[in-house]
Amino acid sequence: MYCIKCGADNLETAKFCRKCGESLDAEEETRVAIRGGSFASPTRGSSDPEAPENEIFAISPTLLFVKALYVAAAIGALFLAAITSMFLSQYVSVWFSVLIGLLLFLIPGFYHFKQKIVSYTLTESSLEIDEGFISRSTQNIPIRRIQDVTVSSGFVQRMLGFGDLMIDNASDADGKIVLKNIDRPKHHAELLLRQMRRIDK
């Protein structure tokens, strides 16, 4: 059982928090973060321990490059159809060139699918990293175990508005978690740091 005031881990039978002394039975008004980084008005905490936590953000790696690949595939398909109809129509069917052009969309489609099977979700008490399609793996990192958050962006990433979040994780063996190629990394870093500060109070 986690204290809603300081986040300390307590025994299920405990009546008071071992760290801050807060009552673990009493309902307490809390401000909870909601999607988009805004804050809801104070509400009563749920007495149901199985109630789902509020989601602060849920994001996936940027689709910027995938969109560029879709545009390139469309241009390539049109170019192929035009060349075939003008110069190769007596040797190759135009419909065959159209089919080959459509197959070009499999390339961005593959990368689109690859990006969408990775998601990063921040709730009130943890950061969840979900990966995989058929074999799905979920890594759950308690916020109280996160020590630091750093934004890392190369020149191209800064120009295009995305980057990586480097997270120092005290509960992981290598101590580093990277949320790769996410849009608006500074905004999401601030949401995570804000939630860390709320739990530390």
Side-chain angles (χ1 to χ4, degrees), residues 139 148 150 166-169 172-178:
Q139 185 175 7
D148 192 23
T150 305
M166 315 287 291
I167 297 173
D168 289 327
N169 174 24
D172 197 20
D174 58 13
K176 284 286 185 183
I177 298 293
V178 182

Side-chain angles (χ1 to χ4, degrees), residues 36 39 62 97 126 129 140 150 156 162 166 175 182 184 189:
F39 285 87
T62 184
S97 66
S126 66
I129 302 174
N140 192 299
T150 305
V156 174
F162 67 94
M166 315 287 291
I182 62 172
R184 300 191 300 160

Side-chain angles (χ1 to χ4, degrees), residues 98-111:
V98 170
L99 176 61
I100 297 300
L102 291 176
L103 290 177
L104 292 176
F105 285 91
L106 292 177
I107 299 173
F110 168 76
Y111 286 103

Side-chain angles (χ1 to χ4, degrees), residues 1-168:
M1 179 186 301
Y2 297 109
C3 176
I4 59 176
K5 182 176 181 180
C6 70
D9 192 3
N10 295 275
L11 296 175
E12 292 295 330
T13 56
K15 299 296 183 183
F16 298 94
C17 177
R18 61 180 177 78
K19 182 177 180 181
C20 67
E22 181 73 7
S23 172
L24 299 178
D25 289 333
E27 290 187 342
E28 180 178 326
E29 290 190 351
T30 59
R31 292 180 62 198
V32 294
I34 61 175
R35 183 189 297 270
S38 60
F39 285 87
S41 57
T43 57
R44 286 284 176 183
S46 172
S47 60
D48 181 6
E50 299 299 324
E53 291 187 284
N54 288 290
E55 186 179 284
I56 298 171
F57 67 69
I59 54 176
S60 295
T62 184
L63 294 176
L64 187 62
F65 292 127
V66 172
K67 293 175 182 178
L69 284 174
Y70 275 120
V71 172
I75 294 173
L78 291 174
F79 181 76
L80 181 62
I83 291 296
T84 302
S85 63
M86 287 189 297
F87 303 108
L88 303 173
S89 59
Q90 56 184 339
Y91 304 108
V92 180
S93 170
V94 174
W95 291 109
F96 179 77
S97 66
V98 170
L99 176 61
I100 297 300
L102 291 176
L103 290 177
L104 292 176
F105 285 91
L106 292 177
I107 299 173
F110 168 76
Y111 286 103
H112 193 169
F113 176 76
K114 187 177 179 180
Q115 297 288 72
K116 296 300 288 185
I117 62 175
V118 178
S119 66
Y120 310 120
T121 304
L122 178 66
T123 66
E124 293 175 287
S125 66
S126 66
L127 177 66
E128 298 176 0
I129 302 174
D130 291 318
E131 297 179 282
F133 176 63
I134 298 176
S135 177
R136 192 80 172 169
S137 65
T138 300
Q139 185 175 7
N140 192 299
I141 307 163
I143 291 179
R144 69 181 187 281
R145 294 286 187 176
I146 297 176
Q147 298 175 320
D148 192 23
V149 180
T150 305
V151 175
S152 175
S153 299
F155 176 75
V156 174
Q157 288 176 315
R158 288 197 303 273
M159 293 293 291
L160 298 178
F162 67 94
D164 302 333
L165 280 190
M166 315 287 291
I167 297 173
D168 289 327

